[in-house]
Amino acid sequence: MDFSSKLLENAVYEVSQLPGIGKRTALRLVLHLLRQPQEQTQRLSFALQEMRDQIKHCKNCHNISDVDICDICNNPSRDRSIICVVEDIRDVMAIENTSQYRGLYHVLGGKISPMEGVGPHDLTINSLVEKVKGGQVAELIFALSSTMEGDTTNFYIYKQIEAFDVKTSTIARGIAVGDELEYADEVTLGRSILNRVPFENSLKSS
Amino acid sequence: MDFSSKLLENAVYEVSQLPGIGKRTALRLVLHLLRQPQEQTQRLSFALQEMRDQIKHCKNCHNISDVDICDICNNPSRDRSIICVVEDIRDVMAIENTSQYRGLYHVLGGKISPMEGVGPHDLTINSLVEKVKGGQVAELIFALSSTMEGDTTNFYIYKQIEAFDVKTSTIARGIAVGDELEYADEVTLGRSILNRVPFENSLKSS
């Protein structure tokens, strides 16, 4: 693309560095900002910079937070003996939205993925193992994506804490509520039969 | 969405103000920035602000430019007697990409659209009429989108300059190169038959 302005070209280039945004979309977004009051661009630009410079991670669960210990870890009504292991803040938000979980979290910051050069030491696995060693944890719930990388990460952590007295579980894999059986893949359907639950349980959770 | 951090929430909010970007996409983009080096966010934020604060519009054609008179208007090899009337900079870029046009442009900054509250005086129509009044313009090419708003804008400008000695034309509407006839809508196909061109012309342009 041939721009009539270096300033515009530079802005489009930087916006197009974001994932899933190509040059054309970037140009559309930048032209939109040009049509809006100057303050909108100022606010956007300030909000991004302030966030990047000042954001913290909770020292306990590694979730994104404005303070050293996040609201969830600080909440006295939370059950400190259960830890749900998740990949990032989006998973925390998704689980919090269900209102079904009252324990704490541990945010790994990713999954073990040799393809993307992410090893165990790039994640917060050590700090999780230390927590388990401390003996205060009764159960770890693995809530990672059901992918090769997720399974590898689960297994790696499991091997590290095997020796300690801690229960481990994974979230149930099965047919999503509202889905039709005929469209489910066979692995999911197979697992959902193997891990069937007493009918009374399904009455309770609805 | 319930955020664990005000800084994050604010950044997501500002990003989600951009057109076509919802809260979920905004969160994905912001989390991406958090995983990248701090400099990337700085560069993005600076590029946006610098562009918004310093960008100019060419005093002649109203295209986006870093200087008072843009490169196209300043180019002595351009034919100053032909003006192509377009909506915004993207159309200028699209036409420039064809390398088929050697005249100047006039960027309106939008189309007349009562539905969106855009009247003739929100566009640069007056300055275009002044140029035509100056008597230096031999031909105006209307290259607006083929929509109700585009047609209205064309007609409005046409009425303003009717009295002056200037040729007006619109870009040809017809079947796109590579398209199959059976999928073309009847209006386009009808116009392409009415405005058929000598076969020799189609040999030249390919």
Side-chain angles (χ1 to χ4, degrees):
Chain A
M1 273 201 261
D2 233 21
F3 290 92
S4 58
S5 152
K6 275 274 159 217
L7 292 167
L8 184 71
E9 183 170 1
N10 194 23
V12 169
Y13 172 78
E14 289 297 341
V15 174
S16 71
Q17 295 303 298
L18 293 169
I21 296 193
K23 284 245 167 170
R24 265 165 191 271
T25 310
L27 179 59
R28 191 167 55 81
L29 297 178
V30 166
L31 290 179
H32 171 83
L33 285 176
L34 278 178
R35 278 192 301 268
Q36 302 299 309
Q38 211 154 342
E39 292 73 43
Q40 184 174 340
T41 310
Q42 259 161 22
R43 281 201 313 270
L44 169 64
S45 149
F46 185 72
L48 288 177
Q49 201 147 17
E50 195 185 35
M51 175 213 61
R52 190 64 186 84
D53 292 350
Q54 296 179 19
I55 220 157
K56 292 177 180 158
H57 288 85
C58 169
K59 289 205 166 120
N60 187 43
C61 71
H62 305 283
N63 194 8
I64 290 170
S65 166
D66 292 343
V67 284
D68 280 344
I69 299 291
C70 75
D71 289 349
I72 295 178
C73 290
N74 241 337
N75 188 338
S77 73
R78 290 271 182 166
D79 182 350
R80 281 154 200 285
S81 66
I82 308 183
I83 294 182
C84 182
V85 181
V86 294
E87 202 185 316
D88 71 13
I89 186 176
R90 281 175 290 186
D91 305 322
V92 174
M93 288 165 70
I95 297 176
E96 283 298 288
N97 269 341
T98 67
S99 313
Q100 298 286 340
Y101 180 65
R102 300 300 301 162
L104 301 186
Y105 293 91
H106 187 93
V107 178
L108 292 177
K111 289 170 291 192
I112 297 175
S113 167
M115 294 282 283
E116 289 170 26
V118 181
H121 298 291
D122 300 316
L123 309 176
T124 62
I125 294 179
N126 280 343
S127 122
L128 178 62
V129 174
E130 288 305 316
K131 276 190 219 170
V132 173
K133 270 189 193 164
Q136 306 295 309
V137 185
E139 181 176 356
L140 279 193
I141 305 175
F142 294 123
L144 301 185
S145 318
S146 183
T147 57
M148 182 79 90
E149 287 87 3
D151 291 346
T152 308
T153 313
N154 286 343
F155 191 68
Y156 182 88
I157 299 174
Y158 177 74
K159 278 288 164 194
Q160 304 277 309
I161 55 156
E162 216 180 0
F164 304 104
D165 179 29
V166 61
K167 216 171 103 183
T168 50
S169 57
T170 68
I171 54 170
R173 311 294 180 190
I175 308 299
V177 177
D179 263 15
E180 308 208 29
L181 278 207
E182 54 176 327
Y183 299 120
D185 67 291
E186 55 265 49
V187 180
T188 305
L189 190 53
R191 283 217 212 173
S192 78
I193 291 174
L194 283 176
N195 301 321
R196 62 195 176 277
V197 292
F199 184 63
E200 297 83 36
N201 289 13
S202 72
L203 294 177
K204 261 182 278 172
S205 63
S206 64
Chain B
M1 275 200 258
D2 232 20
F3 290 93
S4 57
S5 152
K6 274 275 159 218
L7 293 167
L8 183 71
E9 181 170 3
N10 193 24
V12 168
Y13 172 79
E14 290 297 341
V15 174
S16 71
Q17 295 303 297
L18 294 169
I21 296 194
K23 284 245 167 170
R24 264 163 191 272
T25 309
L27 178 59
R28 191 168 54 81
L29 297 178
V30 166
L31 289 179
H32 170 83
L33 285 176
L34 278 179
R35 278 192 301 268
Q36 301 299 309
Q38 209 154 344
E39 293 73 43
Q40 184 173 342
T41 310
Q42 259 162 23
R43 282 201 312 271
L44 169 65
S45 152
F46 184 73
L48 289 177
Q49 201 148 18
E50 193 185 37
M51 174 212 64
R52 190 64 186 85
D53 291 350
Q54 297 180 18
I55 220 159
K56 291 177 179 159
H57 289 85
C58 169
K59 289 205 165 121
N60 187 42
C61 70
H62 305 283
N63 194 7
I64 289 171
S65 165
D66 293 342
V67 283
D68 280 345
I69 301 291
C70 74
D71 289 349
I72 295 177
C73 292
N74 241 339
N75 186 340
S77 73
R78 290 272 182 166
D79 183 349
R80 278 150 203 289
S81 67
I82 308 184
I83 293 181
C84 182
V85 180
V86 294
E87 204 186 316
D88 72 13
I89 185 176
R90 280 174 291 186
D91 305 322
V92 174
M93 288 166 70
I95 297 176
E96 283 297 289
N97 269 340
T98 67
S99 314
Q100 298 286 341
Y101 180 66
R102 298 302 300 164
L104 301 185
Y105 294 91
H106 187 93
V107 179
L108 292 177
K111 289 170 292 192
I112 296 175
S113 167
M115 294 282 284
E116 290 169 26
V118 182
H121 297 291
D122 299 314
L123 309 177
T124 62
I125 294 179
N126 280 343
S127 124
L128 177 63
V129 174
E130 289 305 316
K131 275 189 219 173
V132 173
K133 269 188 193 164
Q136 306 295 309
V137 185
E139 181 175 356
L140 277 193
I141 305 176
F142 294 124
L144 299 186
S145 319
S146 182
T147 57
M148 182 79 91
E149 287 87 3
D151 290 347
T152 309
T153 313
N154 286 342
F155 191 69
Y156 182 89
I157 299 174
Y158 177 76
K159 280 286 163 194
Q160 303 277 309
I161 56 157
E162 216 179 3
F164 304 104
D165 178 30
V166 61
K167 216 172 102 184
T168 49
S169 58
T170 68
I171 52 170
R173 309 295 180 190
I175 308 299
V177 177
D179 262 15
E180 307 209 30
L181 279 207
E182 54 176 326
Y183 299 120
D185 67 290
E186 55 263 49
V187 181
T188 304
L189 189 54
R191 283 217 212 173
S192 78
I193 290 172
L194 283 176
N195 301 320
R196 61 193 176 278
V197 293
F199 184 64
E200 297 81 39
N201 291 11
S202 71
L203 294 177
K204 261 183 279 173
S205 64
S206 62

